[in-house]
Amino acid sequence: MQIRIPLTSSLLAVLLAGSASLAFAEAPVKTSDGVLTDSAGMTLYTFDKDSGGKSACTGQCAANWPPLMAKADDKASGDYSIISRDDGSKQWAYKGKPLYTWKKDQKAGDKTGDGFNNVWHAAKP
């Protein structure tokens, strides 16, 4: 015996909502204007003092350069990995380089942190 359930718009919405939540389990990163951005379109940066897949940006540095944090159910894939920070929290990295935003960027597309102190750089794919 086969049971047929009509695909209504509300059922479709539920199915799509469920699949959308799965999409966010991967890196919340996209490319815009030649640089990597977070899901809000804010430019992502790398820090020259980071090495070995470890963040050297803590304390006041992390307040100025907020890490792109990963959630517990996020899964690394491709060039994106998840590193552990000193406080045990998780952070996204691209090709082993931890990713950050810059508190002085005001709107999507701003890149005011690129080249800051010659150690911060807009992350490029």
Side-chain angles (χ1 to χ4, degrees):
M1 175 177 188
Q2 246 182 354
I3 299 174
R4 292 185 175 239
I5 300 173
L7 187 57
T8 64
S9 59
S10 58
L11 179 57
L12 182 59
V14 168
L15 292 171
L16 289 175
S19 65
S21 66
L22 293 175
F24 290 107
E26 295 179 5
V29 178
K30 56 187 177 178
T31 302
S32 179
D33 197 23
V35 299
L36 299 179
T37 64
D38 67 8
S39 59
M42 301 303 287
T43 300
L44 293 171
Y45 298 91
T46 58
F47 184 38
D48 286 348
K49 295 183 180 184
D50 291 343
S51 65
K54 184 162 175 50
S55 173
C57 183
T58 60
Q60 188 58 47
C61 176
N64 292 328
W65 299 90
L68 180 63
M69 302 307 291
K71 294 180 235 136
D73 62 343
D74 286 345
K75 303 286 184 227
S77 66
D79 289 330
Y80 295 95
S81 58
I82 298 173
I83 64 160
S84 293
R85 296 182 52 77
D86 287 346
D87 65 3
S89 62
K90 304 294 184 186
Q91 178 178 0
W92 282 105
Y94 179 70
K95 294 186 177 180
K97 296 181 178 195
L99 295 171
Y100 307 85
T101 56
W102 169 228
K103 77 173 191 173
K104 292 190 178 181
D105 283 349
Q106 298 296 306
K107 64 186 181 318
D110 282 355
K111 299 178 193 144
T112 64
D114 192 24
F116 188 81
N117 283 345
N118 293 319
V119 294
W120 289 96
H121 311 282
K124 296 182 180 170

